[in-house]
Amino acid sequence: MADAPLHYQILLVEDSPSLATVYQEYLRAGPYQIRHAHCIADALKFADQAMPDGVLLDLRLPDGDGMSVLRALRGRDPDLPVVVMTAHGSVSLAVEAMQAGASDFLVKPFAPERLTVTVANVMERAALRRQVAVLAAGAPRQGFASFIGAAPAMQAVYRILENAAASRATVFVTGESGTGKELAAEAVHGISPRKAGPFIAINCAAIPKDLIESEIFGHVRGAFTGAVADRIGAARAADGGTLFLDEICEMDLALQGKLLRFIQTGTFQPVGSGKTLQTDVRFVCATNRDPLEEVRAGRFREDLYYRLHVIPVPLPPLRERGDDVLALAEAFLVKSAAEEGKRFQRFDAEARAVLMRHTWPGNVRELENAIRTAVVLHDGEVVSAAMLPATVREGGAKPMPAPPPPLEPEVVKPAPPPAPVEPRAVESTKRIRPLADTEREAIEEAVRLCGGNIAKAAAFLGISPSTLYRKQESWRRR
């Protein structure tokens, strides 16, 4: 069953400002956002802007009969919950309103508890009716676990993840960078019988080749330089839970053999130890490459491929998910605005068009970074197209130039001996510093000038925050 919204939008139609204030105070503690209209014209104008989730309607209004509002709004949404309010001597009018489709009625004056209970009941009944209608119509899911989106390609992903979670079979997630491969792994773990156990993630591309065996299997003191104490690895830490191996195709061939034995037997040896340990782990793997092509190229063991590639889960790129782009952007906007203390609530029409036009080569991660950048560098209630990063406004990454035509073969002549280097030239080259050092200094200075705000520093440097984080992590590992 779908979760209830955090807030219901309630339209209060009441011509008395003092009574409107009292009713809003009665409902203040509930999950409601109230908009007050003092007449029929205002009520219909507000409804044109955004249909409410529910209506509190006074039947005596200065510019006409409240019944006209009831009929107009119920004509637009037959399931719209409407609670009518009427004076003590007009119960017959309330009965007429109920016959016209009102959900309930209140006779003025009424106690605070009467109002809150009545509104809560009609909103709950309306929510249940909507959920039943969705289930009856077989409507697509708007999301799954931490995923957001209702695209047909994502419906297939949700079904595979849901069915795979109940088994012990290894799940192999493929997709471009930024499509949410770790979210898929977390979803499998989160709804599986192992959800109470640990979820341990290892990024095989982010760990140096000579350290990844220790990261997975652990090591004993003295196993190598710097091993000053015993350390348990991810294999043991994930006992009873799920081990997620991201970018599995980046793993060294020698280590692939040890991983295959671990998967087959459930046993392993920490680096530097002759003791065999056993653990109970469910495997989920992911890669942004074509794993079968890696097998053909000799970079990935065929026997390991068939051991891991049991339940394949291909994640679609964002450019193939249609309106999911806007659903994700709105979710990221709410999240970023809350974290940054900004007022943003929505995108204007031009910004929405720009978001839909962009091809998103960096997928969901690029979209989240773009929204974060707009929120950090601007403020207001509406995000305009001008606030979005230039790479998004201009249509994203430029196409790669076509490769040059093949050159005619030519005879290779021996290179002439190098000219003797003048002492002055040797001295000049000492002033040339490695590019990596210059880049690091520029990034650290930008972060310092932005008060440690990584997102803001990345925006000024013209790179994504995730790139900046990765560079900082690589410097810490040196």
Side-chain angles (χ1 to χ4, degrees):
M1 185 174 290
D3 294 336
L6 295 178
H7 287 92
Y8 291 107
Q9 304 291 330
I10 303 294
L11 176 60
L12 171 61
V13 188
E14 169 60 64
D15 63 322
S16 169
S18 58
L19 286 179
T21 301
V22 170
Y23 300 156
Q24 290 181 75
E25 183 61 26
Y26 287 171
L27 297 171
R28 184 173 61 85
Y32 311 115
Q33 290 182 344
I34 313 293
R35 297 190 75 181
H36 174 220
H38 74 280
C39 62
I40 294 174
D42 281 353
L44 298 179
K45 182 178 71 173
F46 287 156
D48 286 338
Q49 294 171 353
M51 276 294 286
D53 298 312
V55 180
L56 272 171
L57 175 63
D58 186 6
L59 293 179
R60 302 285 188 187
L61 296 169
D63 53 347
D65 185 356
M67 291 289 291
S68 63
V69 177
L70 173 63
R71 296 189 183 96
L73 297 184
R74 293 277 299 186
R76 301 183 194 184
D77 181 359
D79 295 321
L80 179 68
V82 179
V83 176
V84 298
M85 301 179 292
T86 185
H88 181 70
S90 305
V91 176
S92 60
L93 190 58
V95 173
E96 182 186 348
M98 295 287 287
Q99 293 173 341
S103 305
D104 207 336
F105 71 93
L106 294 167
V107 178
K108 299 179 182 180
F110 43 77
E113 296 78 10
R114 179 79 172 93
L115 175 64
T116 56
V117 169
T118 299
V119 173
N121 285 343
V122 299
M123 296 309 300
E124 183 178 355
R125 289 198 301 268
L128 288 172
R129 283 196 301 271
R130 284 193 294 269
Q131 289 168 0
V132 170
V134 167
L135 293 174
R141 285 184 276 194
Q142 301 302 307
F144 178 80
S146 296
F147 283 102
I148 296 171
M154 294 306 296
Q155 302 300 313
V157 170
Y158 300 159
R159 287 193 295 272
I160 295 172
L161 294 177
E162 194 168 41
N163 293 331
S167 75
R168 290 179 54 90
T170 301
V171 175
F172 202 117
V173 187
T174 57
E176 298 176 7
S177 293
T179 49
K181 294 186 288 295
E182 186 161 356
L183 288 184
E186 291 172 347
V188 169
H189 174 75
I191 61 173
S192 75
R194 295 172 171 263
K195 62 184 178 182
F199 175 84
I200 305 297
I202 291 287
N203 188 322
C204 301
I207 302 171
K209 184 171 66 175
D210 54 346
L211 293 180
I212 191 168
E213 182 177 358
S214 170
E215 287 289 329
I216 295 176
F217 299 125
H219 63 254
V220 297
R221 180 180 178 183
F224 50 84
T225 303
V228 296
D230 290 357
R231 179 182 178 183
I232 67 168
R236 192 170 166 192
D239 189 21
T242 302
L243 178 58
F244 174 50
L245 298 174
D246 197 8
E247 304 303 347
I248 184 71
C249 288
E250 303 291 339
M251 183 178 288
D252 184 67
L253 276 170
L255 184 56
Q256 290 178 26
K258 296 180 180 180
L259 177 63
L260 177 63
R261 183 177 181 278
F262 174 39
I263 294 170
Q264 291 172 331
T265 66
T267 62
F268 65 95
Q269 289 183 337
V271 177
S273 172
K275 184 179 180 181
T276 298
L277 303 178
Q278 187 157 9
T279 187
D280 174 24
V281 168
R282 197 267 178 86
F283 294 92
V284 180
C285 303
T287 181
N288 60 6
R289 300 187 182 185
D290 179 348
L292 200 53
E293 183 58 38
E294 295 300 299
V295 170
R296 296 190 189 102
R299 292 186 291 267
F300 198 73
R301 291 180 60 124
E302 185 175 15
D303 47 3
L304 180 59
Y305 168 80
Y306 287 113
R307 175 66 66 170
L308 293 176
H309 204 266
V310 180
I311 302 178
V313 183
L315 294 181
L318 185 56
R319 61 183 172 273
E320 296 178 4
R321 292 177 55 181
D323 289 342
D324 282 3
V325 172
L326 295 180
L328 285 161
E330 288 164 357
F332 293 147
L333 181 63
V334 171
K335 176 185 174 184
S336 296
E339 291 176 353
E340 299 294 336
K342 298 296 182 73
R343 298 175 294 144
F344 287 115
Q345 297 180 12
R346 59 188 177 86
F347 300 91
D348 68 14
E350 186 181 358
R352 292 166 70 87
V354 168
L355 293 172
M356 289 297 292
R357 187 169 61 242
H358 187 52
T359 56
W360 302 110
N363 293 294
V364 179
R365 185 181 297 123
E366 181 190 2
L367 174 60
E368 183 172 14
N369 289 340
I371 303 306
R372 170 75 70 175
T373 299
V375 170
V376 167
L377 298 182
H378 305 89
D379 199 3
E381 293 187 355
V382 181
V383 176
S384 65
M387 295 179 184
L388 297 172
T391 52
V392 175
R393 298 195 308 271
E394 295 164 5
K398 294 181 174 58
M400 294 293 290
L407 299 175
E408 293 294 327
E410 57 182 46
V411 178
V412 178
K413 298 179 180 179
V421 180
E422 295 291 334
R424 183 179 300 172
V426 173
E427 187 64 30
S428 299
T429 59
K430 291 181 180 179
R431 295 198 298 270
I432 300 176
R433 303 177 62 238
L435 182 60
D437 292 349
T438 304
E439 178 190 54
R440 179 172 181 173
E441 287 179 4
I443 289 175
E444 289 177 341
E445 177 67 7
V447 172
R448 185 186 67 80
L449 291 173
C450 293
N453 189 316
I454 299 297
K456 185 178 292 187
F460 282 113
L461 289 168
I463 61 176
S464 72
S466 59
T467 299
L468 205 157
Y469 280 119
R470 284 198 299 271
K471 288 183 178 293
Q472 289 185 323
E473 181 65 23
S474 69
W475 297 332
R476 281 194 290 269
R477 292 182 180 276
R478 291 179 185 172

